[in-house]
Amino acid sequence: MMKKVVVFLVAALCATMSYAACEDGPYGLQINGSTIADAPAFGNPDAQGRKQYKASCVELKANDVIKLINKSCGETWMVDIDQYGEYQKFEGGKTAGQLTCKADGSYDFYIKLKENDDLVYIGVGSGCGGETPCEDGPYGLKINGKKVVDAPLYGDEDAQGRTQYMASCVELAQGDVVQLVNKSCDATWMVNLDEYGHYENFSGGKEANKLTCNVAGKYDFYIKLKENDDLVYVESSQTCGGGGETPSSEYTTSAPANCPDVMLQAFYWDSYTSGKGYGRTKWPDHLSGANGSSAEEIGQWFDLVWLPPMSKATGGTGYIPSRYSELNSDWGTKAKLEQLIATLRKNGARVVADIVINHGAAWSGWCSFAQLNFGEYGTFKPDASWICNTDEMNTDSGAGACKGKATGNPDDGYDGPDDKDYRSARDWDHTQAKVQDMFKAYLKWLRNDIHIDGFRYDYCKGFHNSHINDYNTAAKIYFSVMEMWDGNPSVLMSHLNDAGYNTLTFDFATKYDAFNNGIASDNYWKLKGAGLLGAGKARYAVTFVDNHDTFQRNGGSEFCGDGNSMTVCPDKVLQCYAYMLSMPGVPCVFWPHWKTFKDPIKAMINARYKTGVHSESAVSDEAGDGFYKATITGTNGQIRVLIGPNSGYNSTPSGFTLATKGTNYGVYYKTNSPRGDKNTERVDRTTLPIETVNADGEHVKMGGEKFIQDGKLYIRCGEYVFDVMGNRVK
């Protein structure tokens, strides 16, 4: 039924005349230097805050010359026109200082004015013969027949091909009547309401030609339009304090101190298929548990769940994104992704998105990039000028007409050209403000609209890591980790410094030194003082045994050697986990290991949880021939981990309880006070602010975290815990 109207931003040329001071309008069009067509104010400012004016039914002949005019002073000028609508029937623009009509016709001119951000959109003339026909928007909500709330274009088409619009933070009282409105002609109508979200708070719909609000509140309306298939989805507002978890206004860091979290990498290479035999991990597979572990179970056992790149890509795992704002990918539909995220968060986990911003693919060819729409955070249309001038697009004969057109700055990444230049895709020039603005909008959109809690930055050798600090700060994200593939802890710390220590990094130094060269080779003494943990930077270390890149893919990096970790040395894999899940840092469990060793990994996570071991816990350890022994102190007790044939792993230390043991490893723990299992004391991260009781016994509304213990629901607010009746129990 409706089509998108996409906006390009262009710079305005503004001047004042010597003979009269220009005021703020009135505005119009000057035709052939004499005739003036008035352009009165039209509607509300657009999504970019530009004031809108409309000159309707402007009759033009071929070769007529048009300029904008401020009638208060006679000043004339012109800006570039929006390359949609009827733009092809005109030539000229800002550089020429005028537009020239190429085809007879009746046209509507939409003049959109904002300092340094003016635009002219030209449409087919409407209403020239009487009643004004409806155009393709703009759309909104009409409330009680009077107030109109804008609904700008939101994201991409949904899975059914419906164009989406969103009216945010719509505050309604009980009894308010809501209709859709096409602001171009003031046409109002209503369609059926999606029976999800907060549909139950409304009555009416298509037959009644209206919705009636039955429960006062703040709502987000998603208007989905397609001929004969329109829909409205309503949810409690996620953008104005009405619901959902929002970034703290007191944001300080994306590398949380004393972090108790354990992360799961919930995929492996090409696991959108089931090729390597550890279960397919598409969004529906996680939701159904068909892969051997449901989203509910994952959320209950892990604090952070790392999902693969979510955006539309050239295919497969997703590491060459072609359209960041399109979340229908080989992993599943956007709807299923959002359902998965909600399920994980409801069961206690925060969700970490894989962020691929070093490079991207053109939508077509080498330099034709897709338009990106991040809703209220902005719309962007990249071109070759956004690409580093060191990109192979400038030299590769296969680039065709795109060859030589990348006019950005040189790549600001690290090491040699082969490290900086990702030759399978175009390298974004992060030194440019417009590129930075695009990715800040992308990450804010993921954080606030898609409800992502953390970022995993891919291929961080390719761009200067100071940008990570900037992007995390813009999005106010809870957690961040970067992929800096280097086994030298000094190099890792250098890159952390470049990022302002506002992120963690994968601890490749611990992987190579302690695991690949230590446990795999029976060199247990290498576990002492390994990696970032040994360098005193455990707070910034994400430890891991293998990941999607090292597991059965890259020569020399897989634990125990290529293809061997799960066949030749599975017992040693568990020795690595006994170390990793007991030590400081933020441990990351790999999906094939979770799928294969679920019970012992759960036992290790439980020991960590019960004792309160966190990313900066103190360690007392010793190592020697055939053994490593360590005591790790948490906020509620200690873990004793014994690894190696000579460690005494098979005997329970005095005062400790066995968590789990196997070949050449044992994990034991003791607690200061009893604490339930990890999966029973989970936090529902989708909870709204609730009414509870403060320390003075007053009933107040405040943010709280719900959790279940021994089958009962409790609410934690700061240092206090309340039952569902508001009684303080701790």
Side-chain angles (χ1 to χ4, degrees):
M1 175 179 171
M2 310 298 176
K3 301 294 184 183
K4 296 181 184 177
V5 175
V6 186
V7 175
F8 284 104
L9 306 183
V10 296
L13 176 63
C14 300
T16 57
M17 302 298 288
S18 60
Y19 54 83
C22 283
E23 300 176 2
D24 185 10
Y27 298 101
L29 298 179
Q30 184 186 74
I31 304 169
N32 297 328
S34 57
T35 303
I36 293 178
D38 291 336
F42 173 78
N44 299 315
D46 68 5
Q48 285 70 41
R50 294 176 294 215
K51 293 181 179 179
Q52 301 188 85
Y53 304 85
K54 180 181 179 183
S56 301
C57 299
V58 181
E59 294 287 343
L60 296 175
K61 300 292 185 182
N63 298 317
D64 280 349
V65 174
I66 304 99
K67 295 183 181 181
L68 306 183
I69 185 168
N70 185 329
K71 294 167 61 180
S72 70
C73 59
E75 171 67 11
T76 59
W77 78 103
M78 182 47 63
V79 297
D80 285 334
I81 59 175
D82 189 344
Q83 293 188 11
Y84 286 82
E86 299 293 287
Y87 80 100
Q88 292 177 326
K89 296 181 181 179
F90 293 80
E91 61 185 7
K94 180 180 177 181
T95 303
Q98 64 185 32
L99 290 180
T100 301
C101 180
K102 298 192 296 181
D104 295 357
S106 177
Y107 300 94
D108 288 345
F109 286 75
Y110 295 82
I111 305 167
K112 306 186 178 192
L113 303 180
K114 182 181 179 182
E115 187 173 0
N116 299 321
D117 187 21
D118 296 352
L119 182 75
V120 171
Y121 171 82
I122 305 175
V124 177
S126 62
C128 302
E131 183 180 352
T132 302
C134 285
E135 299 178 4
D136 185 8
Y139 300 102
L141 298 180
K142 181 172 281 191
I143 302 170
N144 297 327
K146 297 179 181 179
K147 179 182 177 182
V148 174
V149 178
D150 289 339
L153 192 67
Y154 174 80
D156 300 298
E157 293 179 351
D158 69 5
Q160 287 71 42
R162 293 177 293 217
T163 304
Q164 302 186 85
Y165 305 84
M166 180 182 178
S168 302
C169 300
V170 182
E171 188 165 5
L172 297 175
Q174 185 176 358
D176 279 350
V177 173
V178 181
Q179 291 180 300
L180 307 183
V181 62
N182 185 330
K183 293 168 61 180
S184 72
C185 58
D186 201 37
T188 57
W189 77 103
M190 185 44 65
V191 297
N192 286 329
L193 193 63
D194 190 343
E195 293 188 359
Y196 289 89
H198 282 72
Y199 75 99
E200 71 278 2
N201 290 357
F202 295 81
S203 58
K206 185 174 183 179
E207 290 187 6
N209 199 32
K210 65 181 179 181
L211 290 180
T212 301
C213 178
N214 299 321
V215 179
K218 294 179 180 178
Y219 298 94
D220 290 342
F221 284 76
Y222 296 82
I223 305 167
K224 306 183 177 206
L225 303 181
K226 183 182 180 183
E227 189 170 359
N228 299 322
D229 188 24
D230 296 352
L231 190 70
V232 171
Y233 171 80
V234 186
E235 68 177 6
S236 179
S237 179
Q238 305 295 308
T239 55
C240 55
E245 191 173 34
T246 57
S248 169
S249 59
E250 300 177 355
Y251 168 84
T252 56
T253 181
S254 298
N258 302 315
C259 183
D261 296 345
V262 177
M263 183 159 70
L264 172 69
Q265 182 178 2
F267 67 100
Y268 53 98
W269 192 258
D270 284 354
S271 60
Y272 66 96
T273 70
S274 55
K276 290 186 173 66
Y278 297 99
R280 198 178 67 171
T281 65
K282 295 181 71 166
W283 316 142
D285 300 308
H286 281 313
L287 286 165
S288 68
N291 52 23
S293 188
S294 69
E296 287 84 356
E297 181 185 37
I298 293 169
Q300 291 163 13
W301 283 99
F302 292 95
D303 307 284
L304 300 167
V305 178
W306 165 19
L307 298 180
M310 301 169 177
S311 297
K312 184 73 173 178
T314 57
T317 306
Y319 284 98
I320 305 181
S322 56
R323 191 169 185 176
Y324 292 98
S325 58
E326 168 62 78
L327 297 185
N328 293 315
S329 71
D330 283 347
W331 297 100
T333 65
K334 180 184 178 184
K336 287 296 183 184
L337 170 62
E338 291 179 321
Q339 184 182 349
L340 173 60
I341 291 169
T343 303
L344 290 170
R345 297 180 85 241
K346 186 172 184 64
N347 283 277
R350 290 182 168 98
V351 177
V352 177
D354 207 315
I355 304 299
V356 186
I357 58 173
N358 172 71
H359 52 267
W363 191 248
S364 175
W366 288 63
C367 62
S368 179
F369 296 92
Q371 173 123 342
L372 306 176
N373 191 319
F374 303 117
E376 65 179 292
Y377 304 105
T379 302
F380 300 85
K381 184 65 171 70
D383 57 39
S385 69
W386 302 39
I387 303 301
C388 296
N389 61 25
T390 48
D391 188 89
E392 66 275 9
M393 184 175 79
N394 277 353
T395 56
D396 196 312
S397 59
C402 295
K403 182 178 178 181
K405 290 189 176 180
T407 58
N409 296 308
D411 200 311
D412 67 349
Y414 298 89
D415 300 328
D418 290 339
D419 292 303
K420 293 181 184 180
D421 188 12
Y422 192 89
R423 299 193 64 82
S424 297
R426 309 289 70 75
D427 295 330
W428 297 108
D429 178 12
H430 288 268
T431 68
Q432 296 191 55
K434 59 190 178 184
V435 175
Q436 295 170 14
D437 289 344
M438 176 176 70
F439 285 125
K440 286 176 182 177
Y442 171 46
L443 299 179
K444 288 179 182 178
W445 176 69
L446 287 176
R447 176 68 180 95
N448 298 320
D449 287 14
I450 311 302
H451 309 306
I452 296 301
D453 304 287
F455 300 143
R456 179 266 183 189
Y457 288 96
D458 178 66
Y459 201 75
C460 292
K461 282 188 176 182
F463 58 100
H464 199 273
N465 297 155
S466 60
H467 302 303
I468 292 176
N469 186 12
D470 295 338
Y471 296 148
N472 286 345
T473 300
K476 296 181 171 61
I477 202 68
Y478 164 75
F479 178 86
S480 165
V481 57
M482 62 180 180
E483 182 203 35
M484 178 51 61
W485 198 327
D486 198 297
N488 186 331
S490 296
V491 173
L492 295 177
M493 287 189 288
S494 174
H495 288 277
L496 285 167
N497 186 67
D498 284 351
Y501 278 91
N502 194 22
T503 183
L504 292 82
T505 188
F506 285 104
D507 192 354
F508 281 91
T510 290
K511 172 182 168 51
Y512 287 126
D513 203 21
F515 300 155
N516 286 22
N517 301 324
I519 289 177
S521 302
D522 295 327
N523 295 324
Y524 293 98
W525 57 270
K526 280 185 170 288
L527 294 174
K528 184 175 175 63
L532 289 177
L533 280 60
K537 297 296 182 183
R539 171 179 173 177
Y540 305 99
V542 173
T543 51
F544 68 104
V545 181
D546 270 317
N547 65 24
H548 62 290
D549 280 327
T550 66
F551 182 71
Q552 300 182 7
R553 288 193 68 228
N554 287 305
S557 289
E558 184 176 356
F559 179 68
C560 274
D562 291 349
N564 293 336
S565 63
M566 301 295 280
T567 56
V568 174
C569 61
D571 293 333
K572 288 182 177 292
V573 171
L574 283 174
Q575 291 176 38
C576 293
Y577 276 99
Y579 176 88
M580 187 178 80
L581 288 168
S582 300
M583 298 294 284
V586 175
C588 182
V589 176
F590 185 42
W591 177 266
H593 300 155
W594 168 248
K595 177 78 178 293
T596 307
F597 307 115
K598 190 182 294 185
D599 287 343
I601 287 176
K602 282 182 178 179
M604 295 174 193
I605 291 174
N606 239 351
R608 186 181 187 91
Y609 177 74
K610 289 174 182 288
T611 57
V613 168
H614 54 76
S615 61
E616 299 180 79
S617 286
V619 178
S620 174
D621 62 353
E622 57 180 317
D625 184 18
F627 75 88
Y628 176 79
K629 305 176 183 180
T631 302
I632 304 92
T633 301
T635 59
N636 190 46
Q638 291 181 326
I639 289 178
R640 180 72 170 164
V641 60
L642 305 170
I643 303 174
N646 302 329
S647 65
Y649 69 90
N650 215 19
S651 299
T652 303
S654 177
F656 284 79
T657 299
L658 173 67
T660 185
K661 63 181 179 180
T663 303
N664 290 335
Y665 77 89
V667 178
Y668 305 86
Y669 70 96
K670 64 179 179 180
T671 59
N672 300 332
S673 59
R675 191 172 189 182
D677 290 341
K678 170 68 174 174
N679 64 324
T680 64
E681 293 191 347
R682 55 192 183 273
V683 174
D684 181 351
R685 302 196 181 280
T686 65
T687 55
L688 303 176
I690 54 173
E691 182 170 327
T692 185
V693 182
N694 64 16
D696 298 322
E698 300 169 331
H699 284 264
V700 294
K701 283 190 175 181
M702 59 189 299
E705 292 182 326
K706 295 180 183 177
F707 66 95
I708 296 172
Q709 183 173 340
D710 298 328
K712 295 181 180 179
L713 177 65
Y714 295 93
I715 301 162
R716 181 179 288 111
C717 296
E719 63 184 295
Y720 301 108
V721 176
F722 303 87
D723 64 20
V724 292
M725 301 303 294
N727 300 310
R728 203 174 93 190
V729 297
K730 179 181 177 183

